[in-house]
Amino acid sequence: MKNLTTLIFATFLILLGCQQKKATPKVKEEKVIEKTLAQKIETAHQKESFLKHEAISFDAAISFGGSEVFNANITITTSSDLAKITYQNGDEIYVNQQDIFVSPSLKDNPGVRFHAYTWTYFFLFPYKLNDNGTKWDYNFKTSETSSTYTTAKLSFEANTGDAPDDWYISYTDVKTNVLNHVAYIVTAGKTKEAAEADPHAIKYDSYQTVDGVPFSSEWGFYEWNLTDGLTNKIGAGKITNIKFVDNFRDTFSIPKDYIKK
C-alpha cells in the first residue's frame, strides 16, 4: 500500500510538472534591427515631428566672396514638392515638383533653377536622406587625420532629380548624430569630372529649435578635399524667421503670366 501511494504521488508530480511547462511557453526573441546612419540623422533632426507640419517658411541670405548672391523668403512644403520663393525686390519663383515658373522679370536669368533647388535642398537635407533614388555608402571614409565625425557618402540613381551626378558626404556628431557639415559637388552646367575638381562643403552652425525641431541658422561654405576636409571659407548663409505654416497648399497658385523655365 505504501508503494502504491508513493507511485500515485510521483505520477501526480510528473503531471503537475507537465502542466506547468505547458503554461509557460517559450517567448520567441525578436531580432532588433539596427537603424542606418541616415535613419539616425533623421531621428536626431526630428523628422517625424517635422513631417507633421504642412510647410515651413524662412528667410535666406547667401553670400560668396563678400557679394550677396541670394536674398529671399522661401516657403516650401515639408514633402518638398511645392515652393514659393519671393526675392526682396519682388521677383518670384514657383516650384511645382520638377517644374519652375518665374515672374517675367526673371525670364532671362540663367540661374533660376539653381537658386530654386539648391538653398531649399541644403535647408531640408536632414529630411531628404531616404528619398527615392538615394544610395548610401556607410563604409565611406576620408583621409583626414583629425576628423572626429561619422562619415557616409550619398549618391543618386540615374535620372534622379535635376542633378543625379551630384554627391554628398555627411559628417555627423558621433554621439548625437546631428549634422555638422556636408561636402558636395555641383554638376549644374558642368561635367562630373569638372565638379569633382572643385568640391565644396556647407557647415551647419547655431542650431535653434522651432516647435521641437532643430534648424541651423548660420551656414558656412568652404573649400573641401578628401585629405584636409574643410579649408578656406568662401561663403556664408544667414537663415532667419524660421516658422511652420499652415494652408500653404490651399493658397499655392502660379500666376498665369509666369514663365516656365
Side-chain angles (χ1 to χ4, degrees):
M1 189 70 176
K2 184 177 180 181
N3 290 338
L4 180 60
T5 302
T6 302
L7 179 62
I8 293 173
F9 183 68
T11 303
F12 172 75
L13 290 177
I14 292 171
L15 291 173
L16 181 62
C18 291
Q19 288 178 349
Q20 287 177 338
K21 286 181 181 180
K22 290 180 181 179
T24 56
K26 284 187 177 181
V27 178
K28 187 177 180 180
E29 293 183 4
E30 292 186 7
K31 187 177 180 180
V32 177
I33 300 175
E34 176 73 13
K35 286 184 177 180
T36 66
L37 179 61
Q39 291 171 327
K40 290 177 181 179
I41 295 171
E42 290 175 334
T43 300
H45 286 264
Q46 302 299 319
K47 181 178 181 178
E48 186 175 336
S49 296
F50 176 79
L51 291 178
K52 288 180 180 178
H53 299 275
E54 180 183 307
I56 191 163
S57 174
F58 59 96
D59 295 330
I62 312 294
S63 61
F64 280 86
S67 298
E68 187 174 85
V69 298
F70 182 86
N71 195 330
N73 171 263
I74 298 173
T75 303
I76 185 167
T77 54
T78 54
S79 56
S80 74
D81 59 326
L82 301 178
K84 179 183 177 182
I85 299 170
T86 305
Y87 287 85
Q88 282 195 326
N89 65 0
D91 292 343
E92 289 184 325
I93 301 174
Y94 281 76
V95 180
N96 186 347
Q97 299 184 55
Q98 295 303 312
D99 296 327
I100 72 167
F101 301 82
V102 302
S103 53
S105 53
L106 292 173
K107 67 177 183 177
D108 297 322
N109 189 320
V112 289
R113 286 192 74 87
F114 174 82
H115 290 297
Y117 292 117
T118 301
W119 315 122
T120 55
Y121 191 79
F122 283 145
F123 184 85
L124 296 175
F125 187 79
Y127 313 105
K128 305 285 290 175
L129 307 181
N130 284 304
D131 280 2
N132 291 334
T134 54
K135 298 189 301 181
W136 280 95
D137 179 359
Y138 295 118
N139 296 315
F140 181 86
K141 298 289 184 292
T142 67
S143 303
E144 299 164 73
T145 57
S146 60
S147 178
T148 57
Y149 301 101
T150 303
T151 58
K153 186 174 184 179
L154 169 64
S155 57
F156 304 92
E157 295 176 359
N159 303 314
T160 301
D162 255 28
D165 287 333
D166 288 359
W167 50 250
Y168 297 82
I169 298 170
S170 64
Y171 291 73
T172 55
D173 185 286
V174 174
K175 294 181 179 179
T176 66
N177 295 312
V178 171
L179 281 170
N180 182 273
H181 59 286
V182 178
Y184 63 92
I185 61 169
V186 176
T187 56
K190 64 179 76 171
T191 65
K192 184 177 181 181
E193 291 72 21
E196 288 182 329
D198 186 31
H200 294 151
I202 177 173
K203 191 172 188 298
Y204 294 104
D205 288 316
S206 302
Y207 276 94
Q208 60 178 257
T209 302
V210 179
D211 292 348
V213 182
F215 298 101
S216 168
S217 61
E218 299 279 351
W219 296 353
F221 293 94
Y222 293 81
E223 293 178 345
W224 173 93
N225 63 68
L226 284 167
T227 303
D228 304 312
L230 302 175
T231 57
N232 300 320
K233 188 173 183 179
I234 56 175
K238 182 78 173 177
I239 310 300
T240 56
N241 299 320
I242 307 169
K243 59 183 177 182
F244 289 106
V245 296
D246 298 320
N247 304 316
F248 178 62
R249 290 186 182 278
D250 293 338
T251 60
F252 186 86
S253 178
I254 302 169
K256 291 183 179 179
D257 64 332
Y258 277 30
I259 301 156
K260 186 176 179 179
K261 297 283 285 184

